[in-house]
Structure formats: C-alpha cells, structure tokens
C-alpha cells in the first residue's frame, strides 16, 4: 500500500512539474518579441543580392521558394541556356514578372546557380509540360504575377498567379514544404510536377511512383553549384485528384503509375469550387524515399497550414530574439533583422529525423545523438564574419559544424573547402574550414574531438589543391604556373597560420612550421609599390603592374583589395609598409582613389568606396584597419558610412551577393559595434555602433549589452567607452568579455576623439612570431641541355644558407652556399637559412631538369594546317569534350578560334605536326579562356585546364629539327573566348606559332 501511495504521490508531483514547466515555457514563448514582423525576405532579391523570398526555417533542409528563371544546359545538344541569368542564382529575381513554379532547395546569395529541386506548379486549363516563354506565358505552364500580390515573411510566402487566378501560399518545417493552392471554380485545376527542372543542372535519373494520393520519387542531377546529387521525396495532396498522368519524354501517358528516365513530368487534375484550397506537402531526403516518408510523418503528420505557418514564425522569432535592438529607424530595424534572418539560413541541417545522412563519400551513415550533420558551407565567404558571429549567438551549432568537418575528414579525407548539398565543390580558393576551427578553439569552444580536428586541419593544409605544390616549394605561387597566384598565396598563408593556433598546444615543431607558412604572405610584398605583387619562379616581379587592374592574379579583386590580406599578422604588414603613418596613408589612398571601370570589370566587385569593394568579401576587414595604427576615428566614420549607404531595407538593399550570410553578418556585427578582422584571435575590433542599445541573449543565459549614448546619424564618433562601469581605452573587445555577460557603453559625438584607442597598448594586436626569411634560389635554366647556373640569396646578411641537391632536408651540417655554382644533372635543390639562436627558415625547393633533344617524327605527305574536331557542350575540363559528339571536322591554318563569333559553349580537339626549324629547348606558351592543354609528342607540356578567365601558362621541351606531333584540346564555356599558342627557342623572342610550321 505504501508503495502504491508513493507511486501516486510521485505521479502527482511529476504531473505538477510538467504543468509548471509548461507554464514557464509558455511564459518564455510569450516573452518572444515578434521580430519576424521586421524581416523582409524581399531584401536582396533585386540587383545582385541573389537571395530568395520563399519559406524556410533557421538552418532548415527545405527552402521552398518560387523560381522565376533558371539556368540550364542540354547534355544532348550541348547548348547552354544560362547565359544572361546570373541574377537568378537563387532561382528568383525581383525584376522578373513570371513564375515557373515552386521548388524545395535554394541557395541564399551565392554567385553560382544551383538547387531548385522538385518543382510543383498549379495551373488551370490546358495541360502543358514546358515552362514556355517569359514574354508569352501562354506557351507554357509559367504564369505572370505582380509584386502587388506577393508577400513574404519568415517561414511564409504568398503570390497570386495571374494567368490562372490561383493564390499560392507556402510554409515549411525543417524537412517538409507545405503548399496551399487556392483555386477558382474549375474542372481543370491542375498541379504540374516537373522533375526535369533545376537550376543550372541536368537530370541524370528521374523516378516517380504514384500510389493512391501519394507521390514517391527522386531527382538525381548534376551540373549546378551543388554538383551531382539526388533528392528523394514524398508528396501528398489534401484531397484525391480526379485524374493523373505522366509525361515521359514529353509524351503523356494517362494513369501511368511508375516511370523512370531523364525526362519525367506529371500532372494531377482536380475539380475545385471557387476559392477551394488544395494542400500539398512535400518531404525531402538525401538518403532515401523511406527517409522522406519518415521526415513527413515526424514533422508534418497533419493538414493545418495556419498551424505550420505559426510554428515556422515562432522558430524564426526564437532565432531572431537572440539579439534585441533598441531605437534606430524603422529602416535600420528592418535591415538589421533581415540581415539576422539571412545569416540564419545557411549552413543547413543535412540528415533525416532517423539521424541517417549521406556524406560526401556518397555513403549513408547514422549519426550518434551528439552529432548533427550540416552542409552548405560557403567558407570562402563565411569564415570572415558569419562563423565568428555564430561563436557568439550559436556556440552549440558552431561545435556541430566542426563535428561535421571532422566527419568529412574521417569519411572523405579532407574537411570542407566549399561544400554544397553534401558535395565538395572546390569553387573558391583557400581551405577556410581551418579558420572556423581555429576561431572556435581560440575562443574556448571545444565540444568536439579537438585532437582529431587538429589532425584534420594538418591534412587539409597539405592537400593537393591548385598551386599548392609551388606554394610549398617557393613560399609563394609563381604567376607563370597558376592563376590567382597572389590571392591564393595570401589565403593559403592565413589558413596555415590557423593550424598554429592549435599547434601551440599540441606540437612545437608544427607550431614553428605553420607559423613559418603563416609568414609566406611576405614573399609577395613589393616594397617599391607597397602592394602584394605577382612574382615569377625566378623571383622577378610582374611587369606592368597596375594595382587598380583586376586580373587573374587576384580572385575577384585587384591589388588594392587584396594587399592587406595578412590578417594573421597585421602589425608586421604595417611595418613592411613603412609604419603607422605610411600604412594610414595607404588606406586613405585606397578609400579615395576613384575606380576606373575600364580596369575593374568583375561583376562581383560592387559597393565601392574608392578601391574598397564592400560587395565582395576580400575587402570586408579593411575599414577596421585604422584601429591598428591608432586612428580608430577613421574606422568609425567609414564603418558608419558603409552601414548607412551600402545596406537598406529595399529589394536592392545588399550591395553585392549575399553569399550565404556573410554580407549580412558584416552588417550585424558592425551595427553592434565590432567586427572579426582575424578569425582565430579571441577579440573583435571596435567600429561605430549603429543602435542606441543592443542586447545579445547568450546561450549560457547571460546577456551582453552595448549602449551608445548620444547616438545619431550625425554622431558616428566614439568620445569615450566604459566596460562594466570602468573606463575602457582599447579599440578591440575580448570574446570572453562578451560571453561572460558585460555592458559596454559608448559615448558618441559628431567630432573625432583622436586619442581614444591611439596608444600602442590599446590597439588590436597580432601574435608575434619571428620567422627567419626563406632563401631565394634562382637558376639560369629550369630545363637545360648542359648545365644550369644556381644562385642563392637571403635578406639577412649574417645568415648562412645550407643546401642539398638530392631532395633531402638541409641541416646546419649541409653544404654551405658560398657563391653561384653549376649543376649538370637533374636536381631537386633544397635550401634553408640558418640564424644562430633562431628557428631556421622554411625550406625553399627548386627542381631543375636535364633533358635531351627528342628525335623528329618520320612522316611524309603532310598538308598545311591543323586538323580539328569541333564539339559543343558544357565542360569543366578538357576531358569532358569526349562526352559530346563531333559536330564538324576540318582544318585550321593556326590555333586561332576567332571564327566562333557567338557565345555558345564549344570545344576543339586540334591535332597535327609542328615543323621545328632548328635544334634547341623550346618554351610553349598556352593562353586560354576557359581551359586548354598542350601536348608535344604525346607528352603533356602545358596544363591550362579548368574553367577560368584568360590566362597564360608555359612548359618546356627539347626538340630536334624536323616534324613533331602537337595536340591542343580547348573548351570555352560561353561569352569571352581566347586561345593563343606561342613558342620561344631558348631565350629568344616569344612569337605566336605561325601557319607556316603547322601541318596535318
């Protein structure tokens, strides 16, 4: 009896606790402010913000949104239909006036097209299975619409389709999209499912099965930003359809229940009364159809649109309430909370409710309870501001992101570089998962296997990526060998420094190594110009250098925009540039020098203040650099200018591609008064707070408050600062002060306080490391017949250079360099600088090769010109040409392809013989836009492959007089084209290979 009474008492107590917790939870729910009312998802959908307006949840798998125009290409014909729709990378653009349909995957603000999977489109009347012409919507299923009848808010989107008088409403859970179509009275109310549709991809395999009122299937496609992927789905209607059919290769087959192929579409027809809603819920999975079914059953088992919409808004308000702002104009409030909304879309949960997920090795795994798998890491953009922001407002998710990186290391060799839809895309330079880990580690976020993360960082830092082998040999990438030689060197150097952040606690040798590599940026600094300048493999500076000229040496930028990217060592950069005053003047010139658009021709470089380009990420830290020379007031003025002129609450209110949240993260951090100049350091650099009061509601239950007294548009300057009631002179803010819950108070004014933050001890700082400078090793000939003359130099006149010729690592007992010497055999020369009492330099490695002269081919009956095979099709590399049929054959006089006058995608396989006029070593130069490879006597001599802007690379070969086989494979992805093949004998004049020496 006592046991029974005890159990009843315990049960009552348990019920009481449940009620109490329910009340407390309910109160907390009521305390949430409706910041979603200040969010306008239309911001960024115009100009080139590349955002989408549709329904999604914070970091959700589904992004259910309209597509107004998409890029696509036809594998069979090779025709590219994406030219001119760069604005539609998200599938939607505000300038468009027609809608094709509503799809379940989108990318927010990326610079490449992708997603737009599983498209449904409600129509009325005649069945059509092609989208049709934007100028005449009667030619297909697309419909006109007006922005007057369109509305978007977090987790909800609505639009009226004018051609059909159908009101479309969309909402979502994490993994399920919910559609509501309000039809007119009709016996021909249709819903079209177009599985072919995607954004810049093409189907590999499509499948649909129709069972009762449920659709099952998948869409496997490749070619977009996210690469090859499969989206599995299950869809259900809220009422039975009257009839259905499947169009296989555009031939309608009524009542067909199963179909598989590369061109699969279907229709579902209803009889509807006036204003009758038909609901459609669509669950997706990247694992299996069964996974999609489980996702739907778990997340959306009911047919309540309003409830789902309300829950979506609550989810957003929970995320948006992490930061409270006070005062500010209505426009600023909308801009801020829309920025916070955009910064909470990516990365995305990438696993089913049963915790199964598909990894980058295309295998399916089941996550343990402590791991959530994510994807869509646009890391070249987001390591700068988005991820540092998450270390404040989403520390738990930050750990999950790093756990995801470790998972990639375990199953796919490397942590991510640029990953979309679970696929590594290598679409930008650098390896920027490293700063995400370093930043978290430096700030004490370590809820993951730290030792394994450290191993994974080292693995990625030594991975084989473009230019890396030269970077590790020379300490920079010579511009003759790879494109983006300057920007890649600088970003690789920063990423390597990030390894040292962890190595300090793990391994002294690694700490030295990665700090040495963290100083490689110095190898491209030219003191004559005070810029980072391309350098050759003979240590010669690039001729005709122009810092305003955008070129293939810098990624989406020019020298102004990249030369301060030594964010791991800004103090040394200032010294190199001549000290505080010289550096400050350099910045002044950069912000005041007017852009010459004849020299800056890159679409991504927007949001300009002089040479500063806020619309693209390489500039994002630059306005904060005045703090490092004690002129914080200049940072304050510039930051406030950027906040108030380069962002707005209009549809074109983002001054560049949103880039998966980075543009918005810059705004959020800067509006709060600080920014992450150096991820991997445990502080933020102070700017100029935009709002009178900001409160960050931290996950640990504490609050960090920023107060700006006397703040206004006319008062951007800091007069004084206090932290927790005590005077604060530093122009940076420690992470721990934020996370411990503090109050920082700014007194603002309309005139600069020249003294605040001026003293050296009050400025942001770098972690000092005295790296001994690498020796320079030059040669008379990289490829030689008799010998090559080797010279070595070092900036430190008291240092010794020790070297080896057999590829072994030099040590203090190795041969000492005393003067130039000859090598007459192929050699791998390694040299290192030694200074007493200091860690030796990083090793310089140079390879020289002895060669003979290849015998000519014994051929006869040759005719002038080069034989060609002409093909059309989109390629990522020259090998892809073989996928496409030969459309034409013939003979060209030279390698010139200017006869192609339009912007089609095409490629040539060019073969023949070159008549070498005399014995010698010949250097072959290959200019190409996009990719090309050059073979002589079946040996690859120049590899200028891959999709890229016009760029020249070279290779060498010893040839005897006579005929030698030559082959060039070349492809062009549309728009500009360029193919030039030149040669040079020994050190003679470089000339384009003339028609008189080419035969077939």
């Amino acid at each position: 009896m006592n046991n029974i009474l005890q159990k009843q008492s315990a049960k009552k107590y348990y019920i009481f606790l449940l009620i109490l917790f329910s009340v407390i939870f309910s109160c907390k729910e009521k305390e949430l402010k409706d910041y979603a009312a200040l969010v306008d998802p239309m911001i960024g959908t115009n100009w080139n913000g590349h955002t989408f307006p549709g329904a999604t949840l914070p970091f959700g798998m589904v992004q259910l949104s309209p597509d107004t125009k998409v890029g696509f290409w036809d594998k069979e014909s090779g025709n590219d239909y994406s030219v001119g729709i760069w604005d539609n990378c998200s599938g939607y653009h505000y300038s468009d006036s027609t809608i094709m349909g509503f799809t379940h995957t989108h990318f927010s603000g990326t610079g490449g097209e992708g997603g737009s999977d599983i498209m449904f489109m409600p129509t009325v009347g005649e069945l059509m299975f092609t989208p049709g012409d934007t100028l005449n919507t009667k030619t297909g299923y697309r419909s006109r619409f007006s922005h007057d009848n369109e509305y978007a808010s977090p987790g909800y989107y609505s639009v009226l389709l004018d051609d059909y008088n159908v009101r479309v409403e969309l909402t979502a859970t994490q993994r399920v999209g919910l559609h509501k179509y309000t039809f007119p009275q009709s016996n021909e109310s249709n819903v079209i499912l177009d599985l072919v549709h995607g954004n810049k991809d093409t189907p590999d395999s499509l499948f649909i099965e129709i069972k009762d009122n449920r659709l099952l299937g998948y869409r496997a496609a490749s070619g977009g930003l996210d690469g090859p992927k499969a989206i599995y789905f299950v869809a259900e209607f809220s009422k039975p359809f009257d009839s259905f059919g499947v169009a296989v290769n555009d031939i309608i087959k009524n009542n067909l229940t199963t179909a598989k192929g590369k061109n699969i579409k279907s229709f579902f027809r209803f009889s509807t009364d006036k204003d009758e809603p038909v609901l459609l819920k669509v669950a997706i999975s990247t694992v299996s159809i069964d996974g999609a079914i489980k996702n739907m059953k778990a997340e959306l088992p009911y047919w309540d649109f309003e409830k789902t919409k309300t829950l979506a808004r609550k989810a957003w308000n929970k995320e948006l309430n992490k930061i409270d702002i006070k005062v500010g104009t209505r426009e600023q409030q909308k801009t801020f909370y829309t920025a916070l909304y955009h910064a909470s879309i990516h990365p995305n949960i990438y696993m089913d409710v049963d915790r199964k997920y598909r990894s980058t090795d295309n295998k399916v795994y089941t996550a343990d309870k402590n791991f959530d798998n994510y994807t869509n890491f646009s890391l070249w953009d987001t390591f700068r501001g988005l991820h540092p922001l998450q270390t404040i407002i989403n520390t738990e998710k930050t750990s999950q992101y790093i756990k995801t990186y470790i998972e990639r290391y375990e199953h796919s060799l490397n942590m991510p570089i640029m990953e979309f839809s679970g696929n590594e895309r290598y679409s930008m330079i650098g390896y920027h998962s490293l700063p995400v880990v370093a930043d978290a580690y430096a700030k004490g976020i370590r809820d993951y296997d730290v030792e394994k993360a450290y191993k994974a960082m080292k693995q990625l830092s030594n991975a084989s990526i473009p230019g890396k082998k030269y970077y590790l040999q020379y300490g920079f990438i010579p511009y003759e060998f790879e494109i983006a030689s300057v920007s890649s060197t600088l970003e690789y150097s920063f990423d390597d420094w990030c390894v040292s952040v962890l190595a300090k606690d793990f391994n002294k040798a690694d700490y030295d190594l990665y700090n040495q590599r963290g100083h490689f940026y110095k190898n491209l600094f030219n003191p004559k110009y005070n810029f980072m300048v391309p350098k050759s493999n003979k240590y010669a500076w690039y001729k005709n250098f122009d810092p305003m000229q955008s070129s293939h040496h810098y990624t989406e930028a020019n020298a102004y925009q990249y030369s301060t990217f030594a964010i791991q060592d800004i103090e040394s950069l200032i010294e190199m540039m001549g000290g505080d005053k010289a550096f400050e003047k350099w910045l002044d010139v950069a912000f005041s020098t007017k852009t010459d658009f004849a020299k800056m021709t890159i679409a991504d470089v927007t949001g300009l203040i002089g040479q500063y380009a806020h619309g693209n990420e390489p500039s994002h830290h630059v306005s904060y650099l005045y703090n490092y020379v004690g002129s914080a007031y200049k940072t304050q003025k510039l930051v406030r200018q950027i906040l108030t002129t380069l962002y707005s609450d209009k549809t074109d209110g983002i001054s560049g591609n949103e880039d998966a949240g980075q543009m918005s993260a810059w705004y959020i951090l800067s509006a709060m008064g600080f920014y992450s100049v150096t991820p991997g350091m445990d502080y933020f650099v102070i700017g100029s707070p935009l709002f009178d009061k900001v409160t960050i509601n931290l996950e640990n239950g504490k609050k960090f408050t920023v107060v700006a007294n006397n703040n206004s548009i006319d008062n951007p300057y800091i007069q004084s600062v206090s932290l927790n009631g005590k005077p604060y002179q530093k122009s940076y803010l420690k992470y721990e002060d934020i996370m411990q819950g503090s109050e920082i108070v700014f007194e603002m004014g309309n005139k600069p306080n020249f003294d605040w933050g001026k003293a050296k001890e009050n400025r942001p700082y770098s972690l000092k490391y005295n790296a001994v400078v690498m020796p320079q090793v030059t040669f008379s000939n990289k490829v030689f017949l008799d010998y090559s003359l080797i010279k070595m130099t070092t900036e430190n006149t008291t240092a010794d250079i020790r070297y080896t010729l057999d590829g072994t690592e030099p040590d203090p007992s190795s041969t000492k360099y005393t003067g130039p010497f000859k090598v007459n055999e192929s050699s791998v020369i390694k040299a290192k600088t030694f200074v007493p009492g200091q860690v030796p330099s990083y090793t310089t490695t140079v390879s020289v090769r002895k060669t003979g002269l290849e015998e000519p081919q014994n051929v006869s009956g040759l005719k002038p010109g080069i034989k060609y095979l002409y093909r059309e099709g989109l390629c990522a590399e020259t090998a892809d040409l073989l996928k496409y049929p030969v459309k034409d054959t013939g003979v060209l006089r030279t390698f010139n392809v200017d006869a192609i006058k339009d912007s089609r995608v095409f490629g040539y396989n060019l073969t023949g013989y070159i008549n070498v006029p005399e014995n010698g070593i010949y250097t072959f130069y290959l200019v190409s836009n996009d990719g090309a490879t050059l073979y002589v006597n079946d040996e690859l001599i120049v590899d200028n492959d891959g999709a890229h802007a016009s760029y020249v690379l070279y290779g060498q070969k010893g040839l005897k007089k006579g005929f030698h086989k030559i082959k060039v494979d070349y492809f062009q992805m549309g728009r500009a084209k360029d193919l030039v093949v030149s040669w040079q004998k020994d050190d003679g004049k470089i000339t384009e290979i003339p028609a008189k020496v080419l035969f077939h």
Side-chain angles (χ1 to χ4, degrees):
M1 177 64 74
N2 287 336
N3 287 339
I4 293 173
L5 290 174
Q6 286 176 354
K7 288 180 180 179
Q8 288 177 339
S9 177
K11 183 177 181 181
K12 289 179 181 178
Y13 181 67
Y14 177 68
I15 293 172
F16 169 75
L17 286 178
L18 284 178
I19 294 171
L20 179 62
F21 289 148
S22 176
V23 170
I24 292 172
F25 179 75
S26 177
C27 289
K28 287 187 176 180
E29 285 283 310
K30 290 178 182 178
E31 290 172 3
L32 289 177
K33 297 174 183 176
D34 189 20
Y35 285 137
L38 292 168
V39 173
D40 183 0
M42 287 294 175
I43 295 175
T45 59
N46 210 346
W47 196 40
N48 64 359
H50 293 184
T51 61
F52 63 84
T56 189
L57 261 61
F59 313 104
M61 186 187 292
V62 161
Q63 307 87 33
L64 178 53
S65 190
D67 287 352
T68 58
K69 202 183 293 178
V70 293
F72 65 98
W73 59 286
D74 184 346
K75 274 188 175 179
E76 300 301 322
S77 68
N79 291 325
D80 181 12
Y81 296 97
S82 63
V83 176
I85 65 119
W86 184 67
D87 285 341
N88 295 76
C89 287
S90 73
Y92 179 98
H93 197 264
Y94 194 81
S95 65
D96 295 330
S97 58
T98 67
I99 286 176
M100 307 169 72
F102 304 92
T103 58
H104 294 77
T105 60
H106 293 87
F107 298 113
S108 180
T110 55
E113 303 98 324
S116 293
D117 297 288
I118 320 299
M119 186 175 80
F120 288 89
M121 178 64 175
T123 69
V124 176
E126 180 186 357
L127 289 168
M128 287 180 280
F129 291 96
T130 59
D133 193 339
T134 57
L135 299 177
N136 182 6
T137 57
K138 292 182 179 180
T139 59
Y141 54 63
R142 75 166 66 236
S143 172
R144 293 168 296 143
F145 77 104
S146 168
H147 295 304
D148 293 337
N149 296 316
E150 184 183 34
Y151 175 77
S153 66
Y156 177 72
Y157 173 85
S158 174
V159 68
L160 179 67
L161 301 178
D162 291 339
D163 285 12
Y164 308 117
N165 193 28
V166 174
R167 166 65 63 180
V168 174
E169 297 175 84
L170 310 174
T171 189
T173 67
Q174 275 201 322
R175 300 170 178 86
V176 187
L178 182 58
H179 309 232
K180 181 180 179 182
Y181 305 143
T182 302
F183 284 100
Q185 182 178 4
S186 176
N187 293 324
E188 295 181 327
S189 294
N190 315 304
V191 177
I192 305 296
L193 168 59
D194 187 342
L195 286 179
V196 176
H197 176 94
N199 199 355
K200 192 62 181 290
D201 65 13
T202 191
D204 298 316
S205 177
L206 309 174
F207 171 75
I208 187 172
E209 180 179 355
I210 303 168
K211 286 185 176 181
D212 299 325
N213 210 38
R214 172 183 279 187
L215 327 177
L216 309 169
Y218 63 77
R219 179 177 191 269
S222 57
L225 173 70
D226 41 354
K229 46 84 189 285
I231 303 293
Y232 300 88
F233 71 95
V234 57
E236 292 182 5
F237 291 102
S238 60
K239 64 175 287 184
F241 37 81
D242 297 338
S243 61
F244 70 93
V246 177
V248 180
N249 297 325
D250 296 323
I251 299 174
I252 298 176
K253 299 182 179 181
N254 291 318
N255 301 318
L256 183 66
T257 58
T258 304
K260 185 176 181 180
K262 294 185 178 182
N263 184 354
I264 304 294
K265 302 167 188 178
S266 58
F267 76 89
F268 307 90
R269 173 160 282 181
F270 303 85
S271 297
T272 56
D273 296 329
K274 184 177 184 296
D275 295 332
E276 180 181 352
V278 174
L279 273 63
L280 166 68
K281 51 187 178 182
V282 183
I284 65 171
S285 166
T286 59
V287 174
S288 65
I289 293 174
D290 183 58
I293 293 171
K294 290 178 181 179
N295 291 341
M296 181 180 288
K297 186 178 295 185
E299 293 188 358
L300 199 58
Y302 47 79
W303 290 102
D304 191 332
F305 187 89
E306 289 304 314
K307 177 182 177 180
T308 310
K309 174 184 169 184
T310 300
L311 289 174
R313 192 177 185 91
K314 283 185 178 180
W316 274 111
N317 275 325
K318 183 179 178 181
E319 192 68 30
L320 298 171
N321 271 257
K322 290 179 177 179
I323 305 177
D324 293 311
I325 61 172
K326 300 290 186 185
V327 194
T329 66
R330 180 75 174 180
E331 175 187 353
Q332 290 170 342
Q333 292 174 352
K334 286 179 63 180
T335 304
F336 182 88
Y337 281 106
T338 303
L340 187 54
Y341 168 82
H342 281 141
S344 306
I345 291 176
H346 302 307
N348 302 99
I349 193 72
Y350 207 62
M351 62 194 304
D352 293 339
V353 292
D354 61 3
R355 307 199 65 75
K356 290 182 180 179
Y357 67 94
R358 187 177 300 276
S359 188
T360 46
D361 62 359
N362 204 33
K363 295 180 180 179
V364 175
Y365 300 91
T366 300
D368 64 43
K369 64 180 181 179
N370 296 316
F371 169 50
D372 293 337
N373 185 59
Y374 283 83
T375 192
N376 296 332
F377 295 104
S378 188
L379 289 164
W380 184 80
D381 311 290
T382 58
F383 84 87
R384 305 165 198 265
L386 178 73
H387 283 285
L389 171 64
Q390 300 301 324
T391 66
I392 300 174
I393 63 174
N394 278 309
T395 56
E396 292 180 9
K397 276 192 171 60
T398 295
S399 291
Q400 293 295 347
Y401 299 154
I402 296 172
K403 288 179 181 179
T404 299
Y405 301 168
I406 294 171
E407 190 276 346
R408 303 298 188 262
Y409 163 69
E410 291 175 328
H411 293 142
S412 301
L413 186 62
N414 282 317
M415 297 196 299
I417 293 176
M418 292 284 282
E419 179 189 302
F420 298 97
S421 297
N423 287 315
E424 177 55 66
R425 302 302 291 149
Y426 304 101
S427 52
M428 296 299 289
I429 62 172
Y431 28 100
H432 296 310
S433 52
L434 270 60
V436 176
V437 179
D439 196 46
Y441 184 84
K443 293 171 178 174
I445 301 173
R446 302 178 184 181
D447 184 22
Y448 45 87
D449 189 331
V450 174
E451 187 170 355
K452 190 170 287 187
Y454 173 57
K455 292 178 181 178
M457 292 175 78
K458 291 197 295 180
Q459 167 68 30
L460 180 57
S461 72
N462 293 300
S464 179
I465 56 177
K468 196 62 184 287
K469 67 177 181 180
Y470 303 115
Y471 167 88
L472 295 176
Q473 290 173 359
Y474 290 89
F476 64 94
I477 301 173
Y479 67 78
E480 321 98 299
F481 296 156
E482 289 287 345
I483 61 173
S485 62
V486 177
S487 52
S488 292
T489 296
L490 300 181
E491 295 198 24
Y492 294 175
S493 183
F494 167 66
D495 288 338
D496 284 347
W497 171 84
C498 289
V499 182
S500 76
V501 174
L502 277 72
K504 186 176 182 179
D505 296 335
F506 278 90
N507 185 288
K508 177 62 166 62
D510 283 351
Y511 177 73
D512 289 331
L513 172 66
Y514 287 100
N515 263 303
Q516 289 170 338
R517 283 158 63 164
H519 281 250
F520 279 3
Y521 74 90
K522 294 178 178 178
N523 295 328
L524 291 183
F525 179 75
N526 187 328
K528 176 182 177 181
Y529 298 112
N530 256 7
F531 285 96
M532 300 293 177
V533 180
K535 185 185 284 185
S536 77
N537 68 330
K538 291 188 176 182
Y539 299 89
W541 295 110
Y542 182 73
K543 295 180 180 179
N544 303 317
F545 170 72
D546 183 343
M548 284 198 289
Q549 182 71 55
S550 62
S551 70
H552 48 259
H553 304 298
Y554 307 89
T555 302
E556 299 178 7
N558 63 20
Y560 271 107
Q561 290 142 20
Y562 251 109
S563 289
T564 62
F565 192 81
I567 55 177
Q568 71 274 28
D569 194 21
I570 295 170
E571 287 187 272
S572 294
L573 178 67
I574 292 168
E575 293 171 8
M576 290 164 55
M577 285 192 169
D580 292 351
K581 290 184 178 179
F583 188 77
E584 183 174 350
K585 183 178 180 181
W586 190 98
L587 291 173
D588 291 342
V589 171
F591 281 104
S592 60
T593 299
K594 188 176 180 181
T595 298
D596 181 349
F597 289 101
K599 296 179 179 180
M600 177 50 68
T601 58
I602 302 172
D604 283 22
V605 179
T606 53
L608 295 166
I609 302 175
Q611 294 298 304
Y612 175 85
H614 190 71
N616 206 27
E617 279 66 28
S619 288
H620 274 192
H621 67 287
V622 181
S623 60
Y624 283 87
L625 295 182
Y626 284 108
N627 285 32
Y628 291 78
V629 294
S631 294
Y633 68 95
K634 290 187 176 181
T635 283
Q636 295 155 25
K637 180 182 179 181
L638 274 167
V639 167
R640 187 65 73 89
Q641 178 182 349
I642 296 166
L643 285 168
T644 56
T645 65
L646 296 179
Y647 293 87
S648 78
D649 65 346
K650 306 297 187 294
T651 57
D652 60 354
I654 302 175
S655 59
N657 297 164
E658 164 62 13
D659 284 322
Q662 170 57 26
M663 286 289 287
S664 289
W666 190 99
Y667 184 90
I668 295 162
L669 289 168
S670 297
M672 293 193 297
F674 46 85
Y675 183 70
S676 49
V677 171
T678 308
M681 297 290 283
D682 62 348
Y683 66 79
F684 294 85
V685 181
I686 291 174
S688 176
L690 186 63
F691 299 104
D692 292 359
K693 186 177 181 180
V694 175
T695 301
I696 305 176
N697 300 305
L698 301 166
E699 284 178 318
N700 60 16
K702 299 179 181 181
K703 297 179 184 294
F704 176 73
T705 304
V706 180
V707 177
N709 294 323
N710 196 34
N711 198 15
S712 72
I713 192 170
D714 298 319
N715 292 353
Y717 296 108
I718 295 171
Q719 306 301 297
S720 64
V721 183
S722 65
L723 181 64
N724 295 329
K726 297 179 180 180
Y728 191 77
Q729 295 295 324
K730 300 184 185 301
S731 62
Y732 62 89
L733 181 63
K734 297 285 283 187
Y735 176 77
E736 64 181 358
D737 287 327
I738 296 174
M739 303 308 289
Q740 287 174 359
S742 303
E743 181 182 68
I744 188 168
V745 179
F746 296 90
E747 300 295 334
M748 308 300 293
N750 61 5
K751 293 182 180 179
N753 179 346
F754 300 107
D755 293 327
W756 185 82
K758 183 176 182 179
K760 183 74 173 176
E761 64 270 19
N762 292 328
R763 303 176 192 175
Y765 55 89
S766 305
L767 298 178
K768 286 293 184 180
Y769 182 87
N770 294 319
V772 177
V773 178
M774 298 169 63
Q776 295 187 0
V777 181
T778 59
F779 44 82
S780 59
N781 296 289
K782 192 170 184 64
V783 179
F784 57 89
L785 294 175
D786 299 318
Y787 67 87
S788 184
L789 182 67
I790 307 300
K791 295 181 181 180
M792 300 182 185
T793 59
T794 178
E795 293 180 11
N796 191 328
T797 57
T798 63
D800 284 344
I801 301 175
R802 303 282 176 165
Y803 69 90
T804 62
L805 299 178
D806 60 359
T808 59
E809 191 69 15
D811 59 34
S813 64
S814 299
T815 304
K816 181 179 179 179
Y817 177 76
T818 56
F821 61 92
K822 296 177 180 179
V823 294
N824 52 21
E825 296 292 340
S826 295
S827 303
V828 177
I829 304 161
K830 286 181 176 272
K832 181 175 285 193
T833 307
F834 292 86
V835 176
Q838 296 185 36
V839 176
S841 76
Y842 187 86
T843 303
T844 302
T845 304
V846 168
S847 298
V848 292
R849 179 168 60 91
K850 185 174 184 177
T851 187
L853 299 180
E854 291 194 10
E855 296 291 337
Q857 303 287 315
N858 183 16
V859 291
S860 60
L862 297 179
K863 300 177 182 179
I866 293 291
K867 185 177 179 180
Y868 71 80
L869 303 177
Y870 176 80
R871 310 172 193 262
E872 291 181 356
L874 202 66
C875 299
E877 56 187 18
T878 54
D880 291 340
L881 285 169
L882 298 180
K883 299 177 182 177
Y884 305 108
V886 175
K887 286 205 161 191
D888 191 20
T889 63
V891 176
L892 296 177
R893 293 182 62 253
T894 68
F895 293 103
N896 191 295
V897 295
D898 286 346
I900 301 291
K901 297 297 182 185
D902 56 37
S903 60
R904 79 186 78 168
V905 294
F906 67 89
Y908 279 99
N909 301 117
L910 300 158
T911 57
Y913 294 87
I914 184 169
N915 189 9
V916 174
E918 56 183 294
N919 295 348
I921 294 178
Y922 287 82
T923 304
F924 291 87
Y925 299 86
L926 182 61
V927 178
S928 70
N929 179 354
D930 284 285
T933 52
L934 185 150
Y935 298 79
V936 176
N937 292 338
D938 299 321
E939 180 186 353
L940 178 63
I941 301 300
V942 185
D943 184 356
N944 203 354
D945 211 352
H948 55 72
S950 184
Y951 189 69
V952 58
L953 295 177
Y954 76 84
Q956 295 178 297
K957 195 170 182 66
L959 300 171
K960 282 189 177 181
K961 180 180 179 180
F963 289 98
H964 295 266
K965 293 169 66 176
I966 189 167
K967 174 187 174 185
V968 172
D969 293 325
Y970 169 69
F971 74 89
Q972 169 49 233
M973 302 231 317
R975 305 179 183 91
K977 59 182 176 293
D978 200 5
L979 178 65
V980 180
V981 185
S982 304
W983 64 348
Q984 173 191 35
K985 181 183 178 296
D986 299 333
D987 290 326
K989 184 178 179 181
I990 302 173
T991 60
E992 187 172 347
I993 296 179
K996 66 181 181 181
V997 301
L998 295 174
F999 297 86
H1000 70 283

